Amino acid sequence: MQKTALTLSSLIISIILLISGNAFLMTLLGLRLSIEAFSAGLIGWILVFYSFGFVAGTLWAGRIIEKVGHIRAFAVFAAVLAASILVYPMAVEAGLWGGLRALGGFVMAGLMIVMESWFSSKADNRNRATLFAVYQLVFFLSTAGGQVLIRFSDPAGFVPFSLAAILIALALVPLSLTREASPTITQGERMSLRRLYKASPQGALGALVAGLLISAFYAMGPVFANRIGLDVNQLSNFMAASIIAAMLLAWPVGRLCDRYDRYQVMLIASCVAAVCSLAAALIADFNMLLLVIAVGLYMGITATLYPIAVAITNDLMESDQITATSTALLLSYGVGSCIGAPLSALFMELLGPRGLFVSNALILGGLILFMLFGPSRKHPAVEDQQQFITLAPEAALGLAELDPRYTEFEESSETPTADPSADPASEPQHTEDLGPEQPPRV
């Protein structure tokens, strides 16, 4: 037990350093491109290459890990990411930065696969819920902490890029020192988007819209803040507040999802998020405090759309389909994340900075209309719904088996006629589900 706790503490430290450094870099790049007077449309296209690279990473990075092992692969990926970060300030050029974003997305996918598969391998029916909660909390706080770092150096210089590279490089140390055996990566069952949509139209579209909105905000939020005149400290607070709001609102929304019809909860959440988005667009130039409150509520509620979509979908699935369903929902989210930044950038080109939130409100309006008039599916009564689980899609690349709902699948898949004299070494191990349709985390 002590050995497991030590291993997990090393993993958590590596996760904190890696997520903080990557979140810091995401905000830094959007801000720096805005300072350099790139158009909003071009900024959107540069930054979306991260999502493209991450998709490629989910397809191919696992093969690299299988060939050289987890620790060597982690060292390679982290070294490449740190080196690529140091290249950014050498030449602020659209093509170069787009390529670096794609490279960063690819290696970041590999890094997350290594860490999350290792984390998942420590889960069993006794600790799964606790480990899942710890990972989600660490992810939220590390992402928020990365936003705070932007205030400690001039984003127009090279120092913040060096700081991001240092954080990524230091993430190597705790994991590299572990003496635990590496987990195994295997191919998992997959579900097509068409099959997902037929089974749960609202779940599939909800995941897609969540990807659109969240990726748009992370990519273009710093550009919006810079172009309405916020200074670096205000921008830091603006971005961090939205992430903290997402963490704080997750629990009350989860309670509502367990007590009321989840279709109705998603519909109401979409309406409230749309109103908050329009409010942010209207008050952008008037009051900083009201803007932070409106954006915090908007992002906090928007962040719940994905776990609500997961809950709606899993209510309709058999327990042995949970891993394939998680993969398909993440793929739907990933498709949205590849569209979000360029789409919001287009609206910012047409309407100015407030176009970010106008476009988001329109997307939410589309989801609302679909929920009201789209295809309906039978869904269970409230008392028959599965437990709602707070889930950040960006932190779910390799955590299907860490989801507490996986316990039912694991128990139902046990073979009662198993030979008790079988070799313990042949018992199934917790492995990471890495299907080729895994979507990006943005």
Side-chain angles (χ1 to χ4, degrees):
M1 185 65 177
Q2 185 177 4
K3 187 177 181 181
T4 300
L6 182 61
T7 301
L8 286 176
S9 65
S10 299
L11 282 169
I12 289 172
I13 293 172
S14 289
I15 290 168
I16 291 172
L17 293 168
L18 181 64
I19 299 302
S20 297
N22 191 58
F24 172 45
L25 178 65
M26 297 268 296
T27 300
L28 173 63
L29 292 176
L31 177 58
R32 179 62 180 271
L33 288 169
S34 183
I35 292 173
E36 297 288 343
F38 281 73
S39 68
L42 185 55
I43 293 174
W45 278 109
I46 292 172
L47 298 181
V48 80
F49 274 92
Y50 177 87
S51 295
F52 297 149
F54 205 96
V55 170
T58 60
L59 294 173
W60 301 104
R63 301 184 183 185
I64 297 175
I65 297 169
E66 288 177 345
K67 290 182 178 180
V68 303
H70 278 62
I71 293 180
R72 285 194 181 99
F74 189 87
V76 170
F77 293 143
V80 171
L81 182 56
S84 69
I85 293 172
L86 294 175
V87 175
Y88 283 106
M90 295 182 182
V92 185
E93 197 273 328
L96 174 64
W97 279 36
L100 291 173
R101 281 281 72 199
L103 177 61
F106 183 94
V107 296
M108 189 66 189
L111 290 166
M112 296 305 295
I113 289 170
V114 170
M115 290 194 302
E116 292 181 355
S117 61
W118 222 313
F119 212 87
S120 291
S121 71
K122 302 301 175 184
D124 56 38
N125 290 348
R126 296 168 299 174
N127 64 11
R128 179 173 285 114
T130 301
L131 291 181
F132 190 85
V134 167
Y135 187 88
Q136 295 292 319
L137 180 63
V138 167
F139 182 87
F140 273 121
L141 293 178
S142 299
T143 304
Q147 312 306 316
V148 177
L149 296 175
I150 197 73
R151 65 177 64 200
F152 293 115
S153 56
D154 180 10
F158 69 90
V159 173
F161 292 94
S162 299
L163 176 58
I166 289 170
L167 290 172
I168 299 299
L170 287 177
L172 268 166
V173 178
L175 196 61
S176 298
L177 291 176
T178 184
R179 301 177 67 179
E180 284 284 301
S182 300
T184 303
I185 294 178
T186 62
Q187 296 291 328
E189 181 187 356
R190 298 183 297 280
M191 176 186 294
S192 69
L193 288 180
R194 176 180 294 182
R195 181 180 166 196
L196 174 68
Y197 179 82
K198 287 182 177 179
S200 178
Q202 288 79 11
L205 189 64
L208 177 75
V209 168
L212 275 162
L213 300 178
I214 294 174
S215 67
F217 181 79
Y218 283 152
M220 303 306 295
V223 180
F224 166 84
N226 175 259
R227 295 193 174 177
I228 65 171
L230 301 189
D231 60 32
V232 172
N233 288 340
Q234 291 174 320
L235 183 149
S236 172
N237 295 335
F238 173 81
M239 295 297 294
S242 65
I243 297 166
I244 296 298
M247 181 178 68
L248 295 178
L249 288 177
W251 184 82
V253 172
R255 295 284 291 175
L256 292 175
C257 278
D258 281 336
R259 294 187 177 187
Y260 301 99
D261 187 293
R262 287 167 178 171
Y263 287 77
Q264 298 300 320
V265 175
M266 176 179 277
L267 178 61
I268 294 171
S270 301
C271 292
V272 175
V275 170
C276 291
S277 186
L278 286 175
L282 293 174
I283 64 178
D285 299 325
F286 297 103
N287 187 290
M288 174 62 183
L289 178 59
L290 291 178
L291 175 64
V292 169
I293 292 174
V295 174
L297 287 173
Y298 160 74
M299 276 302 295
I301 296 171
T302 297
T304 66
L305 292 180
Y306 181 79
I308 295 174
V310 172
I312 287 174
T313 305
N314 281 336
D315 284 340
L316 304 173
M317 298 296 180
E318 299 296 331
S319 59
D320 61 352
Q321 296 176 306
I322 188 170
T323 300
T325 301
S326 298
T327 300
L329 286 166
L330 281 167
L331 177 59
S332 182
Y333 178 93
V335 171
S337 71
C338 291
I339 302 171
L343 181 62
S344 62
L346 174 62
F347 274 82
M348 292 177 73
E349 286 279 294
L350 298 174
L351 304 176
R354 68 186 71 235
L356 170 63
F357 293 104
V358 173
S359 65
N360 293 344
L362 291 174
I363 293 168
L364 285 164
L367 177 61
I368 292 168
L369 292 175
F370 185 85
M371 295 289 292
L372 290 173
F373 306 110
S376 61
R377 291 289 184 274
K378 290 183 62 177
H379 52 281
V382 174
E383 57 271 17
D384 296 326
Q385 293 178 158
Q386 293 186 19
Q387 178 189 6
F388 179 88
I389 300 296
T390 299
L391 177 67
E394 300 91 344
L397 179 62
L399 294 180
E401 294 182 8
L402 199 56
D403 188 326
R405 289 169 296 212
Y406 186 80
T407 303
E408 181 184 354
F409 166 56
E410 185 180 62
E411 291 175 344
S412 66
S413 63
E414 291 178 353
T415 305
T417 59
D419 182 3
S421 63
D423 183 1
S426 65
E427 294 180 0
Q429 302 293 318
H430 292 290
T431 58
E432 180 178 12
D433 175 33
L434 181 63
E437 291 188 350
Q438 288 273 25
R441 189 181 68 79
V442 296

